Amino acid sequence: MRKLIKSLLVLALIILLPENSFGQQFFRVSADFSIKEKITDGTSKLIVGKVYYDLSAEKIIYDITFPEPETWVLQDTTLYRFQSNELLGKTSSFIIPNSSFFHYTLSGQLANFGLKDSGYTIIDVTKQEEQILTTWEPKDEKVKSLMGKVIMSNLDKKLQAIAFYNPNNDLLSKQFYKAYINVSGCEFPTEITQINYHDQGQNYQVTTYKNVVINEKGNEIIYDYKLPDL
């Protein structure tokens, strides 16, 4: 039994290693996107536009065309909204660019969602048909009081699903990664479904991508959108 567990752990570590560790380096991505969201109260939202991300700039730029032309800039933990280059407002955001799906995809960390280098450790590995299920938990005891385990599913070195829990083992959210395409050697999922769980119910969000471009040359102004002095 110990040999089996050890073998599974080794297999998981091999599977979760970044695919491009010794190959081509990816540094930026752009894509057309659409976000469809269904909220607990039954209302729906649709956002359409183009997204840009550069590893060195660490800003996610959303050039939105629907429902209203706007530019959203995510930097650090703040979301800035612009219209015709005029600041409409800014809010706190739980999405941090260098811990985002875009960052992990370009840096080859999507298979383990950055957990390998973020203070988590593998505590369990199982195989379910062709998929590898890996359970991670924080190493630090103080962090454990704030954040719970993470369970992810991988197939052919690609992240298929990931679930986040709180310290009381309550499910907080799930994400599903589908329809991978290979663009210039970069494996990019073109459909991501996220389900957030809370006391009032569940929120669903489906994001689709097309016309994905990797390592685009030029267009520096949009990739490193300059924020005004605020």
Side-chain angles (χ1 to χ4, degrees), residues 126-159:
T126 59
K127 188 172 183 181
Q128 190 175 81
E129 296 181 352
E130 298 300 317
Q131 300 200 28
I132 301 296
L133 302 181
T134 310
T135 302
W136 301 70
E137 71 174 20
K139 297 178 183 178
D140 188 89
E141 291 300 324
K142 291 183 178 179
V143 178
K144 283 184 181 180
S145 66
L146 301 172
M147 305 171 68
K149 66 182 179 182
V150 177
I151 302 177
M152 63 178 61
S153 170
N154 289 76
L155 175 66
D156 296 331
K157 299 183 181 181
K158 299 183 184 71
L159 179 65

Side-chain angles (χ1 to χ4, degrees), residues 45-193:
K45 294 181 180 179
L46 174 63
I47 301 175
V48 179
K50 191 161 187 173
V51 63
Y52 302 83
Y53 183 71
D54 185 288
L55 282 178
S56 59
E58 292 191 353
K59 300 173 186 175
I60 304 175
I61 314 298
Y62 292 97
D63 185 11
I64 296 169
T65 56
F66 181 88
E68 295 289 341
E70 287 187 16
T71 301
W72 295 358
V73 181
L74 270 167
Q75 184 178 32
D76 296 326
T77 58
T78 303
L79 169 63
Y80 302 87
R81 295 175 53 232
F82 296 89
Q83 193 169 60
S84 301
N85 293 320
E86 183 176 333
L87 180 65
L88 297 179
K90 60 178 183 176
T91 57
S92 297
S93 172
F94 66 91
I95 299 175
I96 302 174
N98 62 11
S99 298
S100 68
F101 147 72
F102 301 108
H103 192 95
Y104 294 149
T105 298
L106 291 175
S107 61
Q109 301 179 78
L110 185 60
N112 60 66
F113 211 76
L115 295 181
K116 186 171 177 287
D117 299 318
S118 63
Y120 276 76
T121 186
I122 296 175
I123 61 169
D124 185 55
V125 180
T126 59
K127 188 172 183 181
Q128 190 175 81
E129 296 181 352
E130 298 300 317
Q131 300 200 28
I132 301 296
L133 302 181
T134 310
T135 302
W136 301 70
E137 71 174 20
K139 297 178 183 178
D140 188 89
E141 291 300 324
K142 291 183 178 179
V143 178
K144 283 184 181 180
S145 66
L146 301 172
M147 305 171 68
K149 66 182 179 182
V150 177
I151 302 177
M152 63 178 61
S153 170
N154 289 76
L155 175 66
D156 296 331
K157 299 183 181 181
K158 299 183 184 71
L159 179 65
Q160 304 296 304
I162 185 167
F164 298 89
Y165 294 78
N166 67 16
N168 295 324
N169 210 32
D170 299 318
L171 180 60
L172 298 176
S173 70
K174 288 181 183 178
Q175 297 173 11
F176 299 90
Y177 294 79
K178 303 177 182 178
Y180 278 83
I181 59 173
N182 187 295
V183 183
S184 302
C186 180
E187 294 291 340
F188 192 98
T190 58
E191 181 180 325
I192 301 174
T193 300

Side-chain angles (χ1 to χ4, degrees), residues 13-52:
L13 289 173
I14 293 173
I15 288 175
L16 295 173
L17 281 174
E19 291 187 57
N20 63 329
S21 295
F22 306 101
Q24 183 178 356
Q25 297 300 306
F26 309 116
F27 59 89
R28 64 170 47 162
V29 60
S30 69
D32 296 329
F33 75 90
S34 67
I35 301 174
K36 298 177 182 178
E37 184 175 10
K38 185 176 181 181
I39 305 174
T40 306
D41 61 11
T43 59
S44 299
K45 294 181 180 179
L46 174 63
I47 301 175
V48 179
K50 191 161 187 173
V51 63
Y52 302 83

